[in-house]
Amino acid sequence: MISVPAAATATATAALLSLRAKRRLTQRLGCSAGARRPSVLGASARPGGAASSRTELVQRSATPGEIASRQAAAAQKLKRPSRRLQAEDLEIRYARSGGPGGQNVNKVETKVDARLNVEQASFLPKWVQEKLLQQQSSRVNSAGMLVVSAQEHRTQQDNLRSAMQKIQDMIDQASYIAPPPSQEKKAKMQRVKKKADQKRIEEKRRRSERKNFK
C-alpha cells in the first residue's frame, strides 16, 4: 500500500475547497445577474417600452384630489331631504324667558324648547339622520331627541321661528354635498399628477444608473 504524505493531502484538499468556493461564487453572480435582466428587458420588451410602464404607473396611482373628486361625484347620487322642517315635526315646549321682554320677563312663557326626533323624521334620508346625530351629539338627549332652545325674542312666535331656523341650519349642514370639481380643476389635478409621476420616474432612473456604475 502506497502512503501519501500528509502535506500533499492537505494541499489537495485546500485546492478542492477553493475550486468549490469559486463555483459557488460564479453561480451566485450568475443568478443575481439573471434576476436583474428580466426587469430591464421586460420594460423594453413590452409594447411601448418605458412609455408603457409610465402609463401603467399613472393609471395605478391616484392622488388625494382625484379620490376626493370621485367621492364627490358618487355623493351626487345620494338622496336629499324631501322637504324643509315644519312645526309639526317638532315637540314644542314653552317656558318663562330670562331674555328680552320688558314687563313680560319672568311672567309670560316666551322661551321655546324645540325637540326633533331625528330617527323618526321620515323626510330625512338615513344618511342625513346619522350625520345630524353625529354632528350635533352634544344637543341630543338619551331619548334621541335633538333639543334646541330660543329665548332671544320677545314673543313665542319669534322664538319658535328662531328655534326652527336653527334646526333647519343643522339639517342643511348635515345634508350638504360638495359639488364635483370643474373641468378646469380636473385638468389642473392631471397636470400636477403627471409632473409628479415624471419626476418620480426620472429619480428612479437616476438611482438605477448610479447603482450600475458602482
Side-chain angles (χ1 to χ4, degrees), residues 4 34 44 71 80 115 122 144-145 149 155 165 170 172 210:
V4 180
S44 59
Q71 292 175 346
R80 306 299 210 287
R115 301 172 181 236
S122 57
M145 305 286 284
S149 299
T155 65
Q165 186 59 51
M170 295 175 188
D172 292 342
R210 285 196 295 267

Side-chain angles (χ1 to χ4, degrees), residues 46-47 49-61 193 197 201:
R46 290 193 301 267
S52 177
S53 63
R54 291 177 187 175
T55 303
E56 292 175 3
L57 184 61
V58 170
Q59 291 177 348
R60 287 194 208 107
S61 59
K193 180 175 180 292
D197 287 337
I201 293 171

Side-chain angles (χ1 to χ4, degrees), residues 72-135:
Q76 302 304 312
K77 300 178 182 179
L78 292 175
K79 189 177 180 181
R80 306 299 210 287
S82 58
R83 58 176 174 80
R84 293 180 65 83
L85 180 72
Q86 298 177 359
E88 293 75 15
D89 301 320
L90 302 174
E91 180 182 323
I92 302 171
R93 299 178 184 179
Y94 299 99
R96 292 182 180 181
S97 174
Q103 296 180 353
N104 292 330
V105 174
N106 294 326
K107 295 180 181 179
V108 180
E109 295 182 340
T110 57
K111 178 182 177 181
V112 174
D113 284 332
R115 301 172 181 236
L116 174 66
N117 191 329
V118 178
E119 293 183 351
Q120 296 298 323
S122 57
F123 68 99
L124 297 178
K126 186 68 175 177
W127 72 272
V128 177
Q129 294 177 0
E130 294 175 353
K131 196 170 181 181
L132 182 60
L133 290 172
Q134 179 184 6
Q135 291 179 346

Side-chain angles (χ1 to χ4, degrees), residues 6-207:
T9 303
T11 301
T13 302
L16 180 60
L17 292 176
S18 177
L19 180 60
R20 290 178 179 176
K22 288 181 180 180
R23 287 178 179 175
R24 292 195 194 100
L25 181 59
T26 303
Q27 290 175 355
R28 289 177 184 176
L29 291 175
C31 291
S32 61
R36 285 195 298 267
R37 287 192 195 100
S39 61
V40 176
L41 295 176
S44 59
R46 290 193 301 267
S52 177
S53 63
R54 291 177 187 175
T55 303
E56 292 175 3
L57 184 61
V58 170
Q59 291 177 348
R60 287 194 208 107
S61 59
T63 64
E66 289 179 329
I67 295 174
S69 175
R70 294 170 188 169
Q71 292 175 346
Q76 302 304 312
K77 300 178 182 179
L78 292 175
K79 189 177 180 181
R80 306 299 210 287
S82 58
R83 58 176 174 80
R84 293 180 65 83
L85 180 72
Q86 298 177 359
E88 293 75 15
D89 301 320
L90 302 174
E91 180 182 323
I92 302 171
R93 299 178 184 179
Y94 299 99
R96 292 182 180 181
S97 174
Q103 296 180 353
N104 292 330
V105 174
N106 294 326
K107 295 180 181 179
V108 180
E109 295 182 340
T110 57
K111 178 182 177 181
V112 174
D113 284 332
R115 301 172 181 236
L116 174 66
N117 191 329
V118 178
E119 293 183 351
Q120 296 298 323
S122 57
F123 68 99
L124 297 178
K126 186 68 175 177
W127 72 272
V128 177
Q129 294 177 0
E130 294 175 353
K131 196 170 181 181
L132 182 60
L133 290 172
Q134 179 184 6
Q135 291 179 346
Q136 307 299 332
S137 58
S138 61
R139 298 176 181 268
V140 179
N141 60 20
S142 58
M145 305 286 284
L146 175 62
V147 183
V148 174
S149 299
Q151 58 178 345
E152 56 268 21
H153 301 288
R154 295 175 181 269
T155 65
Q156 285 184 352
Q157 291 301 318
D158 288 340
N159 283 327
L160 177 58
R161 280 193 289 269
S162 177
M164 290 182 63
Q165 186 59 51
K166 290 178 182 178
I167 297 177
Q168 183 61 55
D169 291 342
M170 295 175 188
I171 292 174
D172 292 342
Q173 180 184 359
S175 60
Y176 174 75
I177 297 176
S182 62
Q183 293 297 328
E184 181 181 355
K185 192 170 183 179
K186 286 182 180 179
K188 183 178 180 180
M189 287 191 294
Q190 288 292 337
R191 290 195 299 270
V192 172
K193 180 175 180 292
K194 183 178 180 180
K195 187 175 181 180
D197 287 337
Q198 290 175 346
K199 183 178 180 180
R200 184 174 62 254
I201 293 171
E202 182 64 20
E203 181 62 25
K204 185 176 180 181
R205 184 185 64 79
R206 290 176 181 174
R207 288 197 301 267

